[in-house]
Amino acid sequence: MALGLMGLFIIHPRQPKYRVDRDFAFMLSEWRIDVGTMRPNPNEMTDFNVFSMNARIFPGTEPMVAKLGDRVRIRFVNLSAMDHHPMHLHGHTFRVVETDGGQIPESAQQIETTVLVQVGSARAIEFVADNPGDWPVHCHMTHHTMTQMGDKFPNTIGVKPGKLDEKIRSSLLPGYMTMGETGMADMGTMGMPVPRNSLPMMGGPGPFDYIAMGGMFTVIKIREGITSYDDPGWYRHPEGTVASLAAADALRRDGIDATATPSKSDEHMGHHHG
């Protein structure tokens, strides 16, 4: 049985038509790890809560590094028990060049930004790193880029707790805090202690703000002029290419009053669409 499974994941050697400068491989896995426990639950078949690349989750995943102009190959092997993984690359298009069945003829290679890696299968993609920057590579199943998710928590989206926290802290639980009224993305920035052998819910620090991702997520860093493939840190965007808050005088020049109170119609639109 073990030999049979190993056979599923072999990408057959070939003589590439193009030189490959950078070659990366990711084993995609899913786990049921209850908070505070020491081992995954091998009997779980549906309710997985940790999704990893090479047994690590973002921000613990190691970034890929490439020089501008490198031809990059990324191999994805899906070891998950139940879930397929549509693996998505930002900033570039790629060709799907191989499966676990062998090389795909060039005439049949699809140009994609997402490749579906089914359970027990492998896919290899290739592209030229011609767009400098820090580009995410991640599963496009939204909950696979999160960690320690579960369904045993109350849904407080949109709830306005008012003085509830104050009342509970004064009479029942001194450290109580209602969480999740606007989602859970901001919880990673609060620095609260977590149970032993537990993982942050999701996310890590980024160049502009907290990156509300985790799980099956990493970054390829493409740079011009680097002399090694060591992590170069976050990309420094050229001046004038990054949006910023408008200055007060610029707003006045354009007839915008930033201190104006929103109208009822604006509040209504924001409530439903913001």
Side-chain angles (χ1 to χ4, degrees):
M1 181 65 176
L3 289 175
L5 286 174
M6 285 296 291
L8 286 173
F9 305 130
I10 295 174
I11 289 187
H12 298 277
R14 67 183 180 96
Q15 293 297 320
K17 180 176 179 180
Y18 305 101
R19 183 191 77 245
V20 174
D21 302 293
R22 299 291 283 155
D23 198 338
F24 304 96
F26 290 103
M27 302 294 181
L28 311 177
S29 303
E30 59 189 1
W31 319 85
R32 164 70 182 273
I33 306 178
D34 294 323
V35 173
T37 60
M38 301 299 292
R39 293 176 295 174
N41 182 349
N43 297 318
E44 184 57 55
M45 283 289 108
T46 59
D47 195 14
F48 300 98
N49 63 348
V50 175
F51 299 87
S52 65
M53 302 175 71
N54 291 343
R56 300 182 69 85
I57 68 165
F58 182 79
T61 51
E62 185 175 358
M64 297 173 280
V65 179
K67 298 175 183 177
L68 190 67
D70 277 353
R71 177 169 288 274
V72 178
R73 176 188 291 177
I74 304 177
R75 311 162 191 259
F76 298 108
V77 178
N78 188 358
L79 302 177
S80 300
M82 295 293 288
D83 284 305
H84 306 318
H85 300 299
M87 300 305 296
H88 179 64
L89 168 67
H90 288 234
H92 298 76
T93 58
F94 56 75
R95 289 181 178 269
V96 183
V97 297
E98 293 183 24
T99 75
D100 41 303
Q103 182 182 358
I104 300 173
E106 188 169 1
S107 61
Q109 293 175 5
Q110 293 178 271
I111 299 175
E112 297 283 2
T113 60
T114 303
V115 59
L116 182 64
V117 189
Q118 298 97 326
V119 170
S121 68
R123 296 291 183 271
I125 66 171
E126 289 182 8
F127 62 96
V128 175
D130 58 4
N131 194 2
D134 297 327
W135 300 111
V137 179
H138 62 93
C139 181
H140 237 307
M141 299 282 279
T142 304
H143 62 296
H144 293 188
T145 59
M146 302 177 187
T147 306
Q148 298 280 221
M149 304 304 291
D151 57 6
K152 303 298 187 294
F153 302 95
N155 182 0
T156 59
I157 291 289
V159 172
K160 296 181 179 180
K163 295 185 177 181
L164 175 65
D165 288 21
E166 180 183 334
K167 292 179 179 179
I168 292 179
R169 283 195 293 264
S170 64
S171 59
L172 295 174
L173 298 171
Y176 175 81
M177 179 179 64
T178 301
M179 298 188 297
E181 304 98 305
T182 59
M184 299 299 288
D186 294 332
M187 298 309 298
T189 64
M190 300 186 68
M192 294 188 299
V194 297
R196 182 171 176 260
N197 199 46
S198 183
L199 297 165
M201 182 163 286
M202 59 179 179
F208 302 111
D209 200 353
Y210 192 79
I211 299 174
M213 290 284 188
M216 209 171 276
F217 179 99
T218 189
V219 176
I220 181 166
K221 299 184 175 185
I222 299 170
R223 299 290 189 274
E224 183 176 16
I226 57 175
T227 58
S228 78
Y229 289 113
D230 296 335
D231 187 348
W234 293 111
Y235 182 65
R236 294 186 178 182
H237 295 78
E239 187 176 354
T241 63
V242 177
S244 60
L245 292 175
D249 58 346
L251 291 172
R252 286 193 296 269
R253 181 196 64 206
D254 295 334
I256 300 171
D257 184 0
T259 63
T261 303
S263 66
K264 290 296 182 182
S265 60
D266 290 336
E267 289 180 352
H268 178 77
M269 290 296 289
H271 175 74
H272 289 284
H273 303 289

